[in-house]
Each structure stands twice: as C-alpha cells, then as structure tokens.
Amino acid sequence: MAGAPATLPPGSVIGILGGGQLGRMIAAAAARLGYRCHVYCPEEDAPAAEVAAFATCADYRDEAALAGFANSVDVVTLEFENVPAATVERLAETVPVRPDARALAIAQDRVEEKCFLNAVGVSTARFAAVASAADLRRAMDDIGAPAILKTARLGYDGKGQREVRPGADPEAAWRQLGAGRAILEERVDFQCEVSVVIARAHDGATAAFDTVENEHENGILRTSRVPARIAPAVDEEARSVAARIAEALDYVGVLAVELFVTRDGALLANEIAPRVHNSGHWTLDACAASQFEQAVRAACALPLADPARHSDAVMTNILDAELGDWPEITAEPGACLHLYGKADARPGRKMGHVTRLTPRGSETA
Ligand code: AMP
C-alpha cells in the first residue's frame, strides 16, 4: 500500500454501490458520524436512497453516470456484491474504493472463492468446478451424493442451487440449473452454521464481532443468535479463520465469513461476503458501534471501534407478509425493530428485522 490514506473528516461524502437495506443502514451510521452518503444503484425507490443525501439511479455500466459519481464522492464502499468488478476498477482510477475489486471478484465466483480459501489454508466442503453435464457426471462420481449444485455466479439466499440426490441424472440436473458454470459441493452434515463479521482497517488492525450462530430456512437467513452455542476452541478458530482471510485479501472494510461447524467440531468455510452482512445486524442494538459504523470507519480511515457486545441477542428477519406484525413488535419490551421502507412484499423478501436483547450471559444460562 502506498502510504497511509488520509482520514476523511466529517462532512465528506461516502459513495455506496447498491441501494438495499445494507446501504440504508450504512448511510444511517455514516450520518451519525457526520458523513453524507451518495447511493448509486439501478433501482428506483431504493431503501438506501431514501436516507442518503444524494442518489444516482443508473446502470452499473453507465460510464457517464459512474464518472459523475466518482467526482462527487471522497470514498466508495459497496453494499451489494454483484456490482461488476470492472465498475469498481473503473471507479478506483478516480477515488479510493474500500473494499477493493479483488475481494469483490473472489466473492462473486463460488469456484474462485473456494480455491482462494483453500489456497490460504481455510478448509471448505469438497467441491468440483462444473461447466458441462459431462463435468457434472465426473464430479458426482468424485464427490458422491447427496451434493449441492450451485451456479458459480449470481446466487444468493439459496437461489441458483439445487440438491443432487443419489442416482440423479447429470444431464437433467445440469439442464435444470441452466448455468454456464457451476460448482458441485459435498453436502455438509453440519451441527450448526456460524459466521464471523470482521472489520479490517487501512493499517491492518482488525476487530471481529462475536461469532454468530445462524439458522436458515429455504436458503434464507432466519435467525442469528449471539453468543453462538459452540465450544470456545471452535469460536477461537472461527475468528482466526476470518482474520486470516481478511489479511490474505489485504482487506479494508467489513467482511463476513460464513462457516459450517461439522458434527466433530471442524470448521468449513461456505462463503465470504465483502460487505456488511445480515448476520451482523444484531450489532446495531447489542454493541456500542455496529458493523455499519465499522464499515464507515474503515472506509474513512478512522480507527475501528471496540466490537464488544453488551447484551445477548437474537436477530430475526422479517420476511414478506410478516411485515404486518410490526404493531405487536413495537409493543414488545426488549425488541428492537428495524424496517427497510420497502413497499412491495414479494415472497422471501427481507422487509426488516427485529433484534431481541437479553442481559449478557442469559442466553448461555
Ligand atoms: P449459500 O447460498 O451458499 O450461502 O447457501 C445457503 C444455505 O444453504 C447455507 O447457509 C446452508 O444452510 C445451505 N448450504 C449451502 N451449501 C451447503 C453445503 N455444501 N452443505 C450443506 N448445506 C449447504
């Protein structure tokens, strides 16, 4: 790195690529520290744009709009991981982008991601890259069944993946997936899923929030609970894996690492997210400074905040029609409600979340 970047003073403008709830919560955290945000995304009525000082609604490949955006901000961060890496490279010619295009490119491709993880000594489920039905047949012989076939790119919340059962026809499975490139992964018989949300600053300092235990339903995160119900040694290892990944990427920003805890207590990394993460939402209410504030601090070259937790927490996502439960939640003691301002509730759409706090130590009692 060429010298330490200058700290951006309050009043500076943070560009955010992506306009969803993550950007909305980054913008709120930025406002608390006196920064202004400029949200760039292709969608109109973006949840983040509603709370940002400036917004550009344009395609991620719109050169003129990108140039205008780059000239109007002091730093760029991202809240959406499928922003084309080329867009980030283009912006980085004019303005610092934190995290950088390399981390983004790795996280965007499940094959590259798993190869990278293995190369830096992080274990994953066994996997094979697949680009044809013939590849899939070989991969099925190699990995066995049941296994999970996932598109290499553009999958999220369980989309773009299907289970491959014993005896499945590779031709049909490949056709149904309808992808050019994919990955076949061994299906992990896990005890639980955990994640570590870690911030890394420009000077290499890191601050990890406590390890979170996650439950998914239909591939979508349902609840995150902290502390995770795992052995201290597993917790220690999860944090060290996250720190190793952040270090290997020379990462600046907030990074989430999702891991499976196997029945015998081993950790297998599932994926990394080069951004704030749904499993870190509890930090808004259970920590003095949230993951969103850490993202702002890292982007603006401020020191990272203490990630200590003052409460135990269970975060539950509010999906589609559950939005109607808001009156009861607002009346519930200890429940912290966050709504994203989204108007139409499509199936599985994240409309908000609620974090229920209890005194620290009560969850493990
Ligand atoms: P992903 O899109 O890779 O995050 O997958 C979404 C969810 O599907 C994960 O959080 C797991 O609950 C489940 N899943 C994905 N990959 C595997 C795997 N290889 N073995 C077992 N469960 C998986």
Side-chain angles (χ1 to χ4, degrees):
M1 206 194 288
T7 297
L8 294 178
S12 304
V13 181
I14 303 171
I16 303 175
L17 294 171
Q21 63 268 17
L22 301 178
R24 180 180 176 101
M25 292 184 272
I26 293 172
R32 193 170 98 158
L33 290 176
Y35 294 105
R36 291 171 299 159
C37 288
H38 184 159
V39 169
Y40 187 113
C41 68
E43 299 85 20
E44 282 170 18
D45 302 328
E50 256 184 27
V51 302
F54 313 103
T56 296
C57 178
D59 189 86
Y60 290 120
R61 292 194 164 83
D62 182 331
E63 290 281 330
L66 285 173
F69 175 69
N71 286 329
S72 74
V73 299
D74 298 294
V75 66
V76 172
T77 190
L78 53 98
E79 68 94 64
F80 173 61
E81 116 193 18
N82 288 321
V83 174
T87 299
V88 169
E89 278 161 13
R90 177 87 179 74
L91 291 169
E93 291 165 10
T94 314
V95 63
V97 185
R98 303 178 185 132
D100 65 13
R102 177 171 171 242
L104 183 66
I106 289 173
Q108 280 176 346
D109 188 299
R110 291 184 190 275
V111 176
E112 282 201 32
E113 182 177 52
K114 289 220 161 50
C115 291
F116 162 79
L117 289 167
N118 291 171
V120 300
V122 174
S123 304
T124 60
R126 289 187 304 126
F127 69 95
V130 173
S132 65
D135 282 354
L136 180 56
R137 184 181 298 278
R138 273 190 296 275
M140 284 167 63
D141 288 344
D142 197 25
I143 285 168
I148 302 184
L149 182 64
K150 303 177 179 177
T151 56
R153 301 179 75 85
L154 299 175
Y156 68 99
D157 283 351
K159 293 191 173 66
Q161 54 181 273
R162 56 186 52 244
E163 182 161 304
V164 175
R165 299 219 170 80
D169 171 17
E171 299 281 344
W174 183 245
R175 226 183 7 256
Q176 281 156 12
L177 189 72
R181 290 175 56 248
I183 187 169
L184 187 73
E185 294 177 13
E186 135 191 49
R187 193 180 72 187
V188 179
D189 178 24
F190 53 78
Q191 180 192 125
C192 65
E193 293 184 78
V194 297
S195 56
V196 177
V197 175
I198 189 168
R200 187 169 181 278
H202 59 282
D203 60 0
T206 58
F209 290 104
D210 280 356
T211 306
V212 192
E213 181 180 337
N214 300 315
E215 263 175 55
H216 292 82
E217 255 174 42
N218 305 320
I220 302 175
L221 183 67
R222 189 73 218 175
T223 60
S224 290
R225 135 194 321 268
V226 62
R229 293 164 294 187
I230 51 173
V234 177
D235 191 346
E236 192 62 32
E237 175 63 11
R239 287 162 186 269
S240 116
V241 163
R244 196 180 322 154
I245 294 169
E247 180 71 25
L249 290 170
D250 194 16
Y251 195 85
V252 180
V254 170
L255 172 82
V257 180
E258 293 187 61
L259 302 141
F260 299 121
V261 182
T262 65
R263 303 246 168 233
D264 52 5
L267 285 170
L268 300 175
N270 178 34
E271 61 179 0
I272 60 178
R275 51 169 171 78
V276 289
H277 193 254
N278 195 169
S279 68
H281 288 4
W282 61 274
T283 61
L284 279 167
D285 302 301
C287 300
S290 69
Q291 62 166 347
F292 304 100
E293 178 165 334
Q294 293 291 52
V296 169
R297 285 173 173 254
C300 297
L302 297 175
L304 297 178
D306 179 358
R309 169 172 68 77
H310 54 68
S311 298
D312 291 349
V314 179
M315 187 284 318
T316 305
N317 274 331
I318 296 172
L319 303 177
D320 52 74
E322 292 163 3
L323 180 60
D325 297 341
W326 68 266
E328 291 84 58
I329 299 172
T330 51
E332 190 188 319
C336 309
L337 179 65
H338 300 260
L339 298 179
Y340 307 150
K342 294 180 183 176
D344 53 342
R346 295 189 292 274
R349 192 170 193 215
K350 293 172 182 167
M351 308 301 286
H353 70 268
V354 53
T355 300
R356 296 184 167 91
L357 297 179
T358 47
R360 197 181 156 113
S362 54
E363 282 291 318
T364 39

